[in-house]
Amino acid sequence: MRLLEPTNSVVVSSKRPILKWKPLDGATEYRVGWFEKTLGGNRQVIKTEQGMTTTKSEYQIEEDLVPQRMYAWFIGAINEDGAQFGYYSSG
């Protein structure tokens, strides 16, 4: 799985960025999450979204992030049996 936008460890300029990735064959849903990256490598998971539709390979974050901070993203592809078979993490 590959994230197309935004790039890894980007400083966000939008409060609600749109994540876009290359879809995986066989995925029936995606789990999407993000965390703020801080100095020293500390991170705090902010939100995880589950149950996205099978036709989407993008997700707009639905709550305001803090502009000019660095975030990392993760996406997991889930098949029809509920098993995760693909995973991406930028951080």
Side-chain angles (χ1 to χ4, degrees):
M1 177 172 289
R2 183 170 62 106
L3 185 68
L4 303 173
E5 293 179 27
T7 57
N8 291 347
S9 301
V10 67
V11 174
V12 298
S13 58
S14 169
K15 288 183 177 182
R16 296 182 180 202
I18 297 174
L19 305 179
K20 296 182 181 181
W21 59 90
K22 185 175 177 164
L24 288 179
D25 289 339
T28 57
E29 68 178 40
Y30 295 93
R31 291 189 179 122
V32 178
W34 55 94
F35 54 84
E36 182 178 350
K37 293 182 80 173
T38 60
L39 294 176
N42 294 328
R43 26 186 204 180
Q44 174 184 359
V45 173
I46 296 179
K47 180 91 172 177
T48 299
E49 294 293 335
Q50 297 184 32
M52 296 176 60
T53 64
T54 60
T55 59
K56 300 270 186 180
S57 57
E58 66 180 49
Y59 179 77
Q60 182 166 20
I61 294 175
E62 296 179 348
E63 60 187 57
D64 291 347
L65 300 184
V66 179
Q68 305 309 313
R69 293 199 181 163
M70 187 178 294
Y71 293 87
W73 328 97
F74 55 90
I75 304 164
I78 310 300
N79 66 19
E80 64 184 15
D81 296 327
Q84 183 170 303
F85 71 99
Y87 185 78
Y88 170 85
S89 175
S90 67

